[in-house]
Amino acid sequence: MAHYLLEKMQRAGIQKAFFVLRPGKWDIPAYFGDGAMVNMHLAYLTVHVPYGVPYTLDQAYPFVQQAIVALGFPDILFQPEDAYARVLERLQSGAADVVLGLFPTEQYWKAGMVAFDASGRVQQIIEKPSQTDLRYMWAIAMWRPSFTRFLHQFLNSHAPTAELPIGNVIQAGIEAGLQVEAEAFPDGSYLDVGTSDDLARAIRELT
């Protein structure tokens, strides 16, 4: 599944990627190696804390703190193929600190749902709401060093007590004055293959 993600990143001109792995996931570097199969340079980091995606991402902080960062989840399949390219174009052409790639969904209880205005300015991110009128969830993102620094400082100033969604940190960034924008794909699609039913659906659709 991660192969599809890297191919979409590569189409946007992304040349370097980090896998951040739990110890024991050595089948992933064994498969991808140095990244030649996807024409990218790959490196591997390990994470040893159980507090969620923000802490996983922060493992790469020493290596990416001056770079534009693209975030993707290897268990989510999505379309269109040029999604990262369009998110990157919006990031580079404006003043946003973060741009989120949005996809329509009816499974709002499984996703980070996004409220945004007609200009694309993100107003609020609500993680896995029990009810909502929102119809777009975010599945990919790109950001400037300003958000990388904010994420690092936020984690250093908040003692971990439970798993922290990355959407909550982005929402904290909005409240702190960072500019977060949305690139919506109304005709796009996403499929989270983290469950057995959705994995079976993905296999049917891809074969």
Side-chain angles (χ1 to χ4, degrees):
M1 294 301 175
H3 201 146
Y4 293 106
L5 176 64
L6 292 176
E7 286 178 341
K8 287 182 171 65
M9 288 182 170
Q10 197 272 339
R11 288 188 182 97
I14 297 169
Q15 299 175 332
K16 300 177 182 178
F18 288 93
F19 279 94
V20 188
L21 310 171
R22 295 286 182 189
K25 297 288 188 177
W26 312 130
D27 55 319
I28 295 175
Y31 176 80
F32 285 107
D34 63 1
M37 71 167 66
V38 287
N39 196 29
M40 297 174 70
H41 300 288
L42 301 182
Y44 304 90
L45 300 168
T46 58
V47 61
H48 301 266
V49 292
Y51 301 119
V53 171
Y55 293 89
T56 301
L57 295 175
D58 197 52
Q59 292 296 105
Y61 176 77
F63 307 99
V64 302
Q65 55 186 298
Q66 300 300 326
I68 290 176
V69 172
L71 170 64
F73 301 96
D75 56 355
I76 293 180
L77 303 177
F78 61 87
Q79 294 290 339
E81 293 291 323
D82 65 346
Y84 276 111
R86 290 162 61 178
V87 169
L88 178 60
E89 181 180 3
R90 186 179 186 100
L91 183 72
Q92 292 182 323
S93 64
D97 298 286
V98 182
V99 176
L100 304 176
L102 306 189
F103 302 83
T105 183
E106 296 179 356
Q107 296 181 320
Y108 53 82
W109 61 91
K110 296 173 60 177
M113 304 301 293
V114 180
F116 60 104
D117 63 22
S119 71
R121 186 76 175 254
V122 172
Q123 300 160 322
Q124 188 177 22
I125 300 170
I126 305 174
E127 285 291 331
K128 300 179 179 179
S130 57
Q131 291 184 336
T132 184
D133 293 328
L134 301 174
R135 60 181 298 259
Y136 282 96
M137 56 86 70
W138 75 275
I140 62 174
M142 298 188 77
W143 58 72
R144 300 181 189 274
S146 52
F147 181 72
T148 302
R149 291 191 297 270
F150 178 84
L151 171 63
H152 185 68
Q153 292 165 2
F154 182 91
L155 297 181
N156 283 340
S157 61
H158 290 73
T161 56
E163 184 160 328
L164 175 68
I166 181 61
N168 287 11
V169 182
I170 299 173
Q171 177 63 34
I174 294 172
E175 295 168 3
L178 294 183
Q179 183 168 325
V180 179
E181 296 184 4
E183 182 68 23
F185 304 106
D187 298 321
S189 63
Y190 95 102
L191 181 62
D192 183 347
V193 296
T195 65
S196 57
D197 288 345
D198 287 338
L199 178 58
R201 176 183 166 192
I203 292 171
R204 290 195 302 269
E205 293 180 358
L206 294 172
T207 55

